[in-house]
Amino acid sequence: MSEPLLSIENLQVKFSRSEDEVYAVNNVSFAIHENEALGIVGESGSGKSVTLMSSIGLIRENGKITSGKALFQGKDLLKLRPKQLEDIRGRDIGVVFQDPMTSLNPIMRIGDQIMEAMLTHQYASRKEAFNRTIQLLQEIGIPDPHSRFKSYPHEFSGGMRQRIMIAIALACEPQLLIADEPTTALDVTVQMQILALLQDLRRKRGMSVVIVTHDFGLATNFCDKIIVMYGGQIMEAASTDMFIREATHPYSIGLKASIIEVGNKGKEISPIPGAARTLTEAPTGCPFAERCPFKTERCLNEVPELRAFGIDHYIACHHAEEVASYAV
Ligand SMILES: Nc1ncnc2c1ncn2[C@@H]1O[C@H](COP(=O)(O)OP(=O)(O)OP(=O)(O)O)[C@@H](O)[C@H]1O
Ligand code: SF4
Ligand SMILES: [Mg+2]
């Protein structure tokens, strides 16, 4: 296989709080190749957003990347100067944040915000940027793009603002789109339109996508590979086909079993019994042990490493073989 477009190696992220520390991401490694879509799933607080954002050098002030590499086309993003990183983000890597309300400039017309993305990175002349903005607004399903160009973010619904964020992220035709819950706020029809647009861009230009989602159906429909996170670690990683057929980690099995129909929003993840805990110490065992029906003494005392478990299949569980035989 070709070299990965983005390769994350042993990423560790810690936050300081007034009383303690949060071990948010613990030894996470994964790779994404050209024209590939990777879905990251897991319950709230499992470390999905922090993994994604710190991979591209975005981290809150109280956070620190304590180790790891994020190699994008061979360059370690975590070693670049802020200006170099900003050049790559927005041009080569498009980013859609979890909360669009805080990412758009409230006092700037949305058309100008999309154009600015292109002008900042010298991607297009002013005239080309204007034309492309109109085209992008059309593509993401904003009606009457010429007049909506002049609107401000507060004049749009949450779903429309999310689409504008996507337009900004796609403005410079990035090779990689990193999207944190990009369609959660949208209704099913619009969600499908946006996903169709992303699929189209992938096909036309070989764009790769890393997408965080709570929507299991979306992950399996849209993505080639799935990563399941829990307690800031990857519990299981597999090609989507393999994952659908043979997910083996007790947490993944619980996630799959807990898919329920939620109104017209389609399939979502409902909670597995027990609650995810914030890790305030470095993990010394399996983070899922408290909720795992298969746990043993070893699980409490030894962190399971992510290991190969068949073709296109990796798992972090001491007892995966027994779990697999039990599941048969
Ligand atoms: N700035 C911060 N300071 C302290 N702890 C933080 C900070 N940001 C995130 N965390 C903690 O890091 C852990 C991982 O958070 P993260 O936002 O990555 O979860 P997530 O999987 O994206 O959840 P969600 O599905 O709710 O978006 C959580 O325990 C969270 O409380
Ligand atoms: S390592 Fe142990 S506690 Fe963790 S998922 Fe596997 S069996 Fe369960
Ligand atoms: Mg998140």
Side-chain angles (χ1 to χ4, degrees), residues 85-101:
L85 205 48
E86 271 164 38
D87 281 346
I88 291 179
R89 270 196 319 255
R91 190 191 59 211
D92 303 313
I93 304 179
V95 188
V96 181
F97 296 96
Q98 192 164 0
D99 181 4
M101 319 306 171

Side-chain angles (χ1 to χ4, degrees), residues 12 21 50 80 107 117 298 306:
Q12 286 189 305
E21 291 180 318
V50 177
L80 296 182
I107 56 165
R298 184 179 175 201
L306 195 66

Side-chain angles (χ1 to χ4, degrees), residues 235 249-251 286-290 292-296 299 304 316-320 323:
M235 298 282 100
H249 195 284
Y251 180 57
C286 172
F288 189 56
E290 275 176 17
C292 181
F294 297 93
K295 75 159 176 288
T296 61
C299 306
C317 172
H318 295 309
H319 302 301
V323 179

Side-chain angles (χ1 to χ4, degrees), residues 48-49 98 180-181 212:
K48 306 180 299 294
S49 297
Q98 192 164 0
D180 196 349
E181 306 267 5
V212 163

Side-chain angles (χ1 to χ4, degrees), residues 271-286:
I272 298 169
R277 209 166 36 91
T278 300
L279 288 184
T280 52
E281 281 169 16
T284 50
C286 172

